[in-house]
Structures are given as structure tokens and as C-alpha cells.
Amino acid sequence: GESVGLHLPTLSVQEGDNSIINCAYSNSASDYFIWYKQESGKGPQFIIDIRSNMDKRQGQRVTVLLNKTVKHLSLQIAATQPGDSAVYFCAEKNGANSKLTFGKGITLSVRP
Amino acid sequence: GAGVSQTPSNKVTEKGKYVELRCDPISGHTALYWYRQSLGQGPEFLIYFQGTGAADDSGLPNDRFFAVRPEGSVSTLKIQRTERGDSAVYLCASSLTSAGTQYFGPGTRLTVL
């Protein structure tokens, strides 16, 4: 069946280090992928997205990598800050549907 | 500009009662989505509107759940005969078009006692 999952439930990093959050997806028809950040008591906040015709996209301090061969998505955060502490979700959709399918989320904890 | 807003932020009700949850999308966004998020889980799709019509309601769990968007802007999610298992955070998102980025509201936390 269709699923989007994350390899690790929690990730603890030192402030200033780079963070890498990984995600596996199983729907080969997916053509659009998004990373959201969710802080406690708030809704998911858009971070960055990537379409299937790309393998890398950069934003401010964040980079998303897409490997369609192994159905893997990753989010890299440079110089991680305390404000980056949150739960991160990857989500996917395919062109035939507008709904997003989310994974379970991974908690990023930044140590001062 | 203003983001997606949802009211109320918290709703506590008793089993068997009827509830309505409201979503105000970003102005000009034609697509509106409802998701439900249980503790420790990612959001799960419920229903999607394009304009006034429900384009995809495949995520509604049963016929106790219904949503409307009569004027193509504000949407109301209605839950009849609430059950304890309906307790969750109900999230609304909107996008400029059906292919656009979905921006989420803060959610309504529903607790059914």
C-alpha cells in the first residue's frame, strides 16, 4: 500500500551542527514532496518542497534531496539552531490527487 | 498577510453531541483541505474542496462527518454523534490552486468526553 515513513523517531543534535532527517516513501507515482515543521500546539509549517523532476533543491539553511531510485527523501538543516527544535514531517502526493500523505514524524532536539 | 485561521482553538464536548469546526482559508485560495491528526501521528486527509464543491471526500471516516464550503471561502467541518475516538486535532489547509503549496492553520483540538 501507499505509505510515507521516517527511519528514526527522534534526532538529537548539537547546536551549530548540521542535521539530516530521512524519509522513505513507497508510492512510485508520487511526483511532489514536501517537508513540514510542526511546533507544539501549532499547525504544520511549510519548509521546502521538491518535484520529482529534480533531485536537489536548496532554501535558506535547508536542502532537500530526492532519490527516486530508492524512494528516499532527506532534509538537511545547516547550522542547526534551538529554534529548529520541532517535529518534522515529510509528505507526498501524486498529480492525480491533491491530498497529502504524511509520515509519522521525527522529533528534532537541539542541544545547546 | 493573514494565514489560515481556525475556530475554536479548543473544543470539549460530550459523547453523542454535535460539533462544528470552522476554517478561514488564506484570501484568494481556491483549494481547501481538512486533515485530522492524532497524538504522535502525521495528519491524515479527510476532504478537499475546489471552490464550493467537495472534489475528494475519500478520507471522511464515516457518514457522521460532513463538510461544507458554500461560498468557496470559509469551510465548516461538522461531526454528528461524536465518539471518544473522534478526539484529535483537526487541521485545515488552503492552497492557491489544487497543485499549489498547502498552508496549514493552527488546528482545532477536539476532545470528546
Side-chain angles (χ1 to χ4, degrees):
Chain A
E2 298 178 6
S3 67
V4 177
L6 301 180
H7 295 303
L8 300 172
T10 58
L11 176 65
S12 180
V13 300
Q14 190 72 38
E15 181 179 357
D17 286 353
N18 297 333
S19 303
I20 300 176
I21 303 172
N22 296 303
C23 175
Y25 66 94
S26 61
N27 185 359
S28 57
S30 296
D31 59 5
Y32 178 58
F33 304 87
I34 315 99
W35 281 100
Y36 285 93
K37 171 188 179 183
Q38 188 172 28
E39 297 173 287
S40 181
K42 297 184 179 180
Q45 176 189 352
F46 172 82
I47 301 173
I48 192 168
D49 58 2
I50 189 168
R51 298 201 178 271
S52 59
N53 60 352
M54 303 173 68
D55 53 19
K56 180 178 180 179
R57 190 168 187 216
Q58 289 185 294
Q60 186 177 15
R61 279 202 310 119
V62 294
T63 300
V64 56
L65 299 177
L66 175 63
N67 185 331
K68 295 183 291 293
T69 302
V70 295
K71 297 178 188 169
H72 186 267
L73 188 71
S74 69
L75 176 70
Q76 301 179 358
I77 305 174
T80 312
Q81 302 169 359
D84 295 326
S85 295
V87 177
Y88 289 79
F89 293 97
C90 63
E92 57 91 13
K93 73 175 184 176
N94 67 63
N97 295 294
S98 289
K99 65 182 181 182
L100 295 174
T101 300
F102 284 81
K104 290 187 178 180
I106 182 168
T107 301
L108 176 64
S109 176
V110 182
R111 304 188 302 273
Chain B
V4 178
S5 62
Q6 293 185 245
T7 55
S9 55
N10 281 283
K11 176 70 176 177
V12 180
T13 191
E14 294 179 342
K15 180 176 179 297
K17 299 292 187 182
Y18 168 82
V19 297
E20 290 189 350
L21 311 179
R22 176 187 168 109
C23 172
D24 281 82
I26 294 171
S27 179
H29 280 196
T30 63
L32 184 145
Y33 310 80
W34 284 99
Y35 292 82
R36 179 167 70 174
Q37 186 175 27
S38 300
L39 191 62
Q41 304 293 317
E44 294 180 320
F45 171 79
L46 295 176
I47 186 170
Y48 149 59
F49 287 89
Q50 181 59 50
T52 60
D56 182 356
D57 65 358
S58 62
L60 294 178
N62 51 62
D63 61 5
R64 294 187 299 105
F65 288 75
F66 188 71
V68 295
R69 195 187 185 200
E71 298 178 357
S73 179
V74 171
S75 176
T76 304
L77 178 66
K78 308 180 181 192
I79 310 174
Q80 298 178 321
R81 303 183 303 281
T82 51
E83 300 177 356
R84 294 193 178 89
D86 298 335
S87 296
V89 175
Y90 289 81
L91 293 163
C92 177
S94 70
S95 59
L96 189 59
T97 68
S98 61
T101 301
Q102 294 182 28
Y103 295 96
F104 283 81
T108 294
R109 180 175 298 278
L110 176 66
T111 303
V112 182
L113 301 177

